[in-house]
Amino acid sequence: LLRVVDLDSNEIGGTIPTELGDCQNLEIFDMDNNELSGSLPDGLFSIPNLRALDLDTNELTGTISSDFGNLVNLEFLALDTNKFEGTIPASISALQSLTNAYFDRND
């Protein structure tokens, strides 16, 4: 049962696979400082035990989805230094476990 993915600082390119949502026991997904592109896959928002999502310093695009509100166990969120556009959805403020959230240096 996969619980941690830590592949930061590896120059990994491409998109985040949609199959990530199949990893229902995943708690930590850390791929900061890579060359990831595209938008966040919908399956990401259906991982019930996700506590940390670290995707800063990539080339990710699109908007920050209101579906982040589904990640009720999320404690750490880093989406800074990407190319996200738009506003931070209100659903993120309802995440009672969230203690650290980073959105700076986006478009």
Side-chain angles (χ1 to χ4, degrees), residues 40-41 44-46 50 53 55 63-74 76-79 84 88-95 98 103:
L40 299 176
L44 175 68
F45 307 110
S46 64
L50 193 62
L53 179 63
L55 295 172
T63 60
I64 298 173
S65 174
S66 62
D67 289 338
F68 268 103
N70 298 339
L71 301 175
V72 296
N73 293 307
L74 196 64
F76 179 90
L77 175 61
L79 298 177
F84 290 113
I88 298 168
S91 61
I92 290 178
S93 66
L95 296 174
L98 190 64
F103 302 102

Side-chain angles (χ1 to χ4, degrees), residues 11 22 31 37 57-58 68 73 75 83 93 103:
E11 299 180 8
D22 296 337
M31 289 192 72
S37 60
T57 316
N58 279 287
F68 268 103
N73 293 307
E75 299 170 8
K83 296 182 177 181
S93 66
F103 302 102

